[in-house]
Amino acid sequence: MSSSINLSTNIKTQLRHELRLNAQTKLWLDVISMPAIELKEKIEKEMEENPFLEYDFKNYSSSNKDIDNIIENTVQSEGESLFEHLKTQINIALGNKKDIELAEHICSFIDKDGYIKTPYETIAETLNANIKDIQRIINILKTFDPLGVCAKDIEECLSIQLKSREDIEDNIKEIAIKIVENFLKELGKKNYDYIANEMNITKDKVLEALKIIQTLEPYPAREYDTTPIKYIVPEIFIFKENNEWVVKTNESFIKPLKISKKYSKLINEGKNSREDTNFLKEKKKMAENLINAANERKKTLLKVGEGLLKFQLPFFENGKEFVKPLKLQDLSLEVSLSESTISRISNGKYLNTVWGTFSIKYFFSKELKGGISSRAVKEIIKRIIKDSPAKLTDEKIRLILKSEGIDISRRTVAKYRLSSSIL
């Protein structure tokens, strides 16, 4: 009987421990995902309800005054949301006001990955629109940058990207398209022999197609912020100090936190009832969890900033035209954080540089032929058009780019001009 009671007690204790860990993990995930504005609101709300939580002004360095001045003069240089990015293209590509309004409403059905998973019938019913118009507009949106946006799933997203590629031999492109449309799960399981047998091709052809598929972007919205923001608060600062590059986090907007000594003493005084003591302990634990999560968020931002400084040093030294290609995976390996953590910490967060304030996601872009990034090419096109007294055709821009060692197609130039509203 006694052993049965002990076993039951152990199980309950273990369950409480697991529930506490799950709650801590959820809090941490919530906190790292929050933009600065939301986190500050959460902290202030918690302070109203939890007397154990207070600001630690002693550990707030006066050196942050320089950062305060930067924040006051902050403007949003690059923090374009996916909706803003698509809206620019909608206004250029669509001819009448009715189509423009419908396209903008359809964009509200795009999820955080860039897909439209809602059935077209539901969208038509919700918007009180003809389903044929919904299909027509979505088909147009699928041609926009980033390629693959508005696809219904990852298979269609990758297929759209492959079909637009002009740098792949037709035979291997066709194989790659068939694989992503029909055998993506098998590809993920590395069942290359099975795919080869089903498609009646060699395993080498499957592997050749795999190399191309690995260059695609499965989540087209990843390069853009999908978190609505109220105004720009840079959380990472990268600048030169005594001729050395430094990375600092913003402790001015969200100041350091600490546990109240005054209320901690109440727990140990022994004047409270057991119920009151348990209540105070729970409140203290909640405050500690929030402080730990906020501190981890700050450390994670610092790691990401240091990683970006290493990968994007040419940008910090020379400006926008020198942004290097960068994938989440590369930064993940460099800073020893998971890709999902980097994705969460990047969304809705901003970085201040001598060139302006940028969304962290600005620094992730794909690699084009010659090792240059798509982001840099867009910036170079902007410069070419700005410097030219006459209006330039896409073909003329392509030739100028080629003279600068950048070999891309006229169609890619047109796509970049459209996506960036460079006229």
Side-chain angles (χ1 to χ4, degrees):
M1 184 72 174
S2 175
S3 62
S4 175
I5 292 171
N6 288 337
L7 180 61
S8 175
T9 303
N10 288 339
I11 290 171
K12 286 179 181 177
T13 303
Q14 186 179 346
L15 283 172
R16 279 198 298 270
H17 180 64
E18 287 177 1
L19 286 170
R20 194 176 291 115
L21 285 176
N22 288 336
Q24 288 173 0
T25 303
K26 185 179 183 304
L27 176 65
W28 179 75
L29 291 173
D30 286 344
V31 166
I32 68 163
S33 301
M34 288 178 181
I37 307 291
E38 285 183 28
L39 180 57
K40 187 171 186 177
E41 287 173 354
K42 180 180 177 65
I43 289 170
E44 288 174 350
K45 184 174 183 293
E46 190 66 27
M47 279 183 166
E48 290 174 6
E49 300 171 358
N50 192 336
F52 283 92
L53 194 65
E54 57 184 43
Y55 286 123
D56 186 2
F57 291 106
K58 283 186 179 179
N59 286 328
Y60 175 63
S61 171
S62 58
S63 65
N64 283 291
K65 287 179 180 176
D66 290 337
I67 288 179
D68 288 339
N69 292 331
I70 293 172
I71 292 171
E72 286 175 9
N73 296 301
T74 292
V75 293
Q76 182 179 358
S77 301
E78 296 287 346
E80 194 176 38
S81 70
L82 180 63
F83 175 72
E84 289 167 339
H85 187 65
L86 293 174
K87 191 175 185 301
T88 299
Q89 298 172 77
I90 287 167
N91 290 333
I92 294 170
L94 299 181
N96 64 70
K97 188 177 178 182
K98 186 179 176 183
D99 280 353
I100 289 171
E101 287 180 355
L102 183 57
E104 289 177 359
H105 287 312
I106 288 171
C107 286
S108 68
F109 290 89
I110 300 173
D111 67 16
K112 64 181 177 62
D113 294 321
Y115 302 148
I116 293 182
K117 295 179 179 177
T118 308
Y120 292 177
E121 293 84 357
T122 304
I123 297 174
E125 187 178 336
T126 304
L127 299 179
N128 193 26
N130 186 298
I131 191 166
K132 288 185 179 178
D133 286 333
I134 298 294
Q135 290 171 330
R136 175 175 60 84
I137 295 294
I138 289 178
N139 285 337
I140 293 171
L141 292 174
K142 286 176 183 176
T143 67
F144 286 1
D145 181 80
L147 271 177
V149 73
C150 297
K152 65 180 182 292
D153 52 34
I154 191 170
E155 288 83 1
E156 185 184 18
C157 173
L158 299 179
S159 177
I160 288 169
Q161 292 176 56
L162 283 167
K163 287 172 182 175
S164 75
R165 292 278 291 268
E166 297 176 342
D167 59 330
I168 309 170
E169 186 184 323
D170 287 344
N171 178 45
I172 199 66
K173 183 197 282 192
E174 188 179 335
I175 290 171
I177 291 169
K178 284 182 179 177
I179 289 174
V180 300
E181 289 182 345
N182 303 289
F183 300 103
L184 204 55
K185 287 183 180 177
E186 296 302 325
L187 192 69
K189 296 174 185 175
K190 300 184 179 181
N191 290 340
Y192 307 135
D193 290 324
Y194 173 82
I195 297 170
N197 289 334
E198 288 293 308
M199 293 183 63
N200 196 27
I201 57 176
T202 64
K203 182 179 176 181
D204 285 344
K205 286 291 183 185
V206 174
L207 294 174
E208 189 177 348
L210 172 62
K211 286 182 181 178
I212 294 166
I213 294 167
Q214 287 174 333
T215 67
L216 305 176
E217 174 52 81
Y219 305 110
R222 182 153 55 181
E223 197 174 320
Y224 299 89
D225 274 309
T226 54
T227 302
I229 54 169
K230 297 173 184 175
Y231 58 90
I232 303 301
V233 177
E235 296 201 65
I236 305 174
F237 297 83
I238 298 182
F239 54 93
K240 271 192 173 177
E241 194 173 69
N242 299 323
N243 214 31
E244 293 286 333
W245 284 104
V246 294
V247 181
K248 291 187 178 181
T249 54
N250 182 355
E251 294 194 9
S252 300
F253 190 74
I254 301 173
K255 295 175 177 60
L257 300 166
K258 68 174 183 176
I259 295 293
S260 168
K261 290 181 180 179
K262 174 185 171 183
Y263 283 93
S264 294
K265 285 179 182 177
L266 290 177
I267 296 176
N268 302 318
E269 282 180 353
K271 296 178 181 179
N272 306 301
S273 67
R274 184 176 179 182
E275 186 179 343
D276 287 344
T277 300
N278 287 339
F279 174 78
L280 290 170
K281 285 181 177 178
E282 186 62 30
K283 282 292 184 182
K284 184 180 180 184
K285 187 64 183 174
M286 289 170 67
E288 287 172 343
N289 288 344
L290 182 55
I291 291 170
N292 290 337
N295 288 340
E296 283 301 313
R297 180 183 185 276
K298 190 192 303 178
K299 289 177 187 174
T300 304
L301 278 168
L302 193 61
K303 276 188 174 183
V304 168
E306 289 168 347
L308 288 176
L309 176 58
K310 179 174 180 179
F311 280 111
Q312 299 291 4
L313 186 59
F315 162 86
F316 293 106
E317 293 276 9
N318 305 299
K320 298 180 192 176
E321 291 187 19
F322 296 86
V323 177
K324 307 293 286 183
L326 182 61
K327 295 184 290 186
L328 282 178
Q329 183 183 18
D330 298 329
L331 189 58
S332 170
L333 292 171
E334 173 64 27
V335 300
S336 301
L337 294 169
S338 69
E339 289 183 44
S340 62
T341 297
I342 292 174
S343 182
R344 283 190 176 94
I345 202 72
S346 299
N347 207 29
K349 318 296 191 308
Y350 290 82
L351 185 157
N352 183 271
T353 76
V354 67
W355 309 107
T357 297
F358 299 79
S359 161
I360 290 177
K361 288 194 172 184
Y362 175 84
F363 297 96
F364 298 99
S365 60
K366 64 184 178 182
E367 182 174 353
L368 302 179
K369 198 190 317 182
I372 195 168
S373 74
S374 58
R375 185 77 72 190
V377 171
K378 290 177 185 179
E379 297 294 349
I380 293 168
I381 291 173
K382 285 180 186 177
R383 185 248 301 160
I384 290 170
I385 292 173
K386 184 180 177 182
D387 290 350
S388 173
K391 188 170 182 179
L392 298 173
T393 64
D394 296 337
E395 177 60 18
K396 180 64 178 174
I397 292 170
R398 185 191 73 80
L399 293 171
I400 295 171
L401 287 169
K402 193 169 184 180
S403 72
E404 294 188 16
I406 302 166
D407 190 10
I408 61 173
S409 68
R410 183 201 60 77
R411 182 177 171 185
T412 301
V413 172
K415 182 181 77 173
Y416 285 177
R417 288 182 79 171
L418 179 63
S419 69
S420 301
S421 189
I422 313 168
L423 302 177

